[in-house]
Amino acid sequence: MNIRDARGVRAGAAVVLAALLAGCSGGAAGGEGAKGPEGLTAAEACGGFASAAPVTTALEAVVGSEHFEDDRSKPDKAIGRLRDDAAAPWADSYRPQPVRYCGLRGVEGSRKDLRIEVGAVGKGPYLGPELAKSVTSYATGLEAFASSGSGRLYFSCRLDAPALPLVVEAVVRGPADVPQTDLRHRTRLITLANAAARQVSAKLGCEGDGLATGVPKTVPAPSSAQSPSSAPSPQSSQSTRSARQAPSS
């Protein structure tokens, strides 16, 4: 190979290398062709329960990202479990187990996560007088309340015969490093629980769930949480479906 040919080979290699570098850097000026963050948008995550604008805002604020990756969500299993629990009276020893309906993690810098579990529970009240002092209550479903790290929402569901009436609990758990004084974060959590509960209710075909649209409003704690005398009597807690022990918070 002579000197002229060697120079031609080197020039050709430089052109190829430049093209490869341009492709890796996103292509043309102005960012055209640049690859965006990988992951699901709020409209895609967990069946799109957070696709409405106020719910999208809440999800992005809680997780600290506009894109998400799924974290062991099992929506079909959760709906199937609820249908099974509505099919027949429960034995005294039966305690329904919640299922992770939606699990998400942020993919843009923040690695914060969010979990929403749903399950069948017995008749309330669910908010005791001691807990009522440290949470914020909301007007949606039967009862709804949130602290800085979690929110709980309960709604009634009546399915087509022969299924029995059911009370569904939706529990949302967010990042653990949020100050107790951040009341807006509590509202975000209950907004997400409410949106997931609405999606669950629609899938089940519930009637009269009483769930709010959009962002639930804050309300005083329910009267059942303001006096110890309102707790269920020992006799009433012995019945099968109507007075199960309320889940601990």
Side-chain angles (χ1 to χ4, degrees), residues 49 55 116 138-141 144 152-155 170-172 187-201 209-216:
F49 84 99
V55 189
I116 302 176
Y138 296 85
T140 182
R152 292 177 182 266
L153 184 155
Y154 303 85
F155 69 92
V171 181
V172 56
T187 298
R188 295 184 191 112
L189 289 178
I190 214 66
T191 298
L192 295 171
N194 183 73
R198 287 175 58 85
Q199 188 180 67
V200 169
S201 179
D209 57 28
L211 294 169
T213 301
V215 179

Side-chain angles (χ1 to χ4, degrees), residues 54-69:
V55 189
T56 296
T57 300
L59 178 59
E60 292 175 353
V62 168
V63 182
S65 175
E66 294 182 355
H67 293 83
F68 316 92
E69 63 180 22

Side-chain angles (χ1 to χ4, degrees), residues 74-91 94-99 118-121 157 159-160 162-168 200 203-206 241 244:
K74 299 178 180 178
D76 292 340
K77 180 178 179 180
I79 295 298
R81 179 73 58 80
L82 290 171
R83 289 192 185 281
D84 290 343
D85 288 335
W90 303 340
Y94 181 63
R95 294 294 183 271
Q97 295 298 310
V99 177
V118 298
V121 295
C157 177
L159 301 174
D160 294 337
L164 299 175
L166 189 71
V167 175
V168 179
V200 169
K203 289 183 177 181
L204 289 173
C206 301
R241 179 182 293 268
R244 294 289 181 186

Side-chain angles (χ1 to χ4, degrees), residues 131-154:
L131 183 60
K133 300 175 183 178
S134 60
V135 299
T136 303
S137 292
Y138 296 85
T140 182
L142 295 173
E143 286 186 26
F145 49 91
S147 64
S148 63
S150 66
R152 292 177 182 266
L153 184 155
Y154 303 85

